[in-house]
Amino acid sequence: QVQLVESGGDSVQAGGSLRLSCVMSGFFVSNRCMGWFRQGPEKEREGVAVINNRFGITSYGDSVKGRFTISQDSSKITVYLQMNSLQPEDTAMYYCAAALPCDWSKVTKIVPTDFGYWGQGTQVTVSS
């Protein structure tokens, strides 16, 4: 059973930064991808970023390009989301998700239905 646990959510002022972490445990396959999604109040879940754990290649949603960076540690079990220049519109519950196995041609679009495992989420609140 795959488990994902997020941490790092907090309340910050506009222009600030946060780093979210997601630790994966349980059953692993080498061909996997991990991603970050977010869902604001009364909004649909939005794809933020995804990383191919085997090759380290990444893809980002248009709204966060140039501000957010997804990365992984050397064990490829923990994935990070560095968020800079945060704005009030970034306020949301942030979820970590995993696709096992990973079809990069699909997950690069960062669509929730392509990810089968989800964490419980961590709240990010940005005030103006």
Side-chain angles (χ1 to χ4, degrees), residues 10 53 62 67 75 90 105 113 124:
D10 206 343
N53 294 97
D62 289 340
R67 300 189 298 126
S75 70
D90 295 315
S105 65
T113 51
V124 172

Side-chain angles (χ1 to χ4, degrees), residues 44-99:
E44 293 187 356
R45 193 163 293 192
E46 174 191 9
V48 174
V50 62
I51 185 167
N52 182 303
N53 294 97
R54 179 188 290 180
F55 301 112
I57 50 179
T58 60
S59 181
Y60 294 91
D62 289 340
S63 63
V64 306
K65 283 180 180 176
R67 300 189 298 126
F68 291 10
T69 304
I70 189 170
S71 62
Q72 60 184 353
D73 68 354
S74 58
S75 70
K76 301 181 181 181
I77 293 175
T78 301
V79 170
Y80 305 99
L81 184 69
Q82 178 66 41
M83 306 186 294
N84 298 328
S85 302
L86 284 162
Q87 299 300 317
E89 52 265 35
D90 295 315
T91 294
M93 184 70 78
Y94 282 71
Y95 298 91
C96 178

Side-chain angles (χ1 to χ4, degrees), residues 3-127:
Q3 290 186 322
L4 302 169
V5 179
E6 306 97 331
S7 62
D10 206 343
S11 297
V12 297
Q13 296 284 327
S17 298
L18 282 175
R19 189 176 82 158
L20 306 183
S21 299
C22 173
V23 180
M24 172 186 277
S25 62
F27 175 75
F28 293 165
V29 295
S30 59
N31 177 24
R32 64 182 186 271
C33 292
M34 292 175 71
W36 287 97
F37 292 80
R38 67 185 182 184
Q39 189 164 14
E42 300 181 359
K43 293 183 180 180
E44 293 187 356
R45 193 163 293 192
E46 174 191 9
V48 174
V50 62
I51 185 167
N52 182 303
N53 294 97
R54 179 188 290 180
F55 301 112
I57 50 179
T58 60
S59 181
Y60 294 91
D62 289 340
S63 63
V64 306
K65 283 180 180 176
R67 300 189 298 126
F68 291 10
T69 304
I70 189 170
S71 62
Q72 60 184 353
D73 68 354
S74 58
S75 70
K76 301 181 181 181
I77 293 175
T78 301
V79 170
Y80 305 99
L81 184 69
Q82 178 66 41
M83 306 186 294
N84 298 328
S85 302
L86 284 162
Q87 299 300 317
E89 52 265 35
D90 295 315
T91 294
M93 184 70 78
Y94 282 71
Y95 298 91
C96 178
L100 290 76
C102 176
D103 182 342
W104 185 248
S105 65
K106 286 185 177 181
V107 301
T108 189
K109 299 178 179 65
I110 327 178
V111 175
T113 51
D114 290 325
F115 292 77
Y117 301 92
W118 292 83
Q120 293 299 307
T122 185
Q123 178 68 37
V124 172
T125 303
V126 185
S127 57

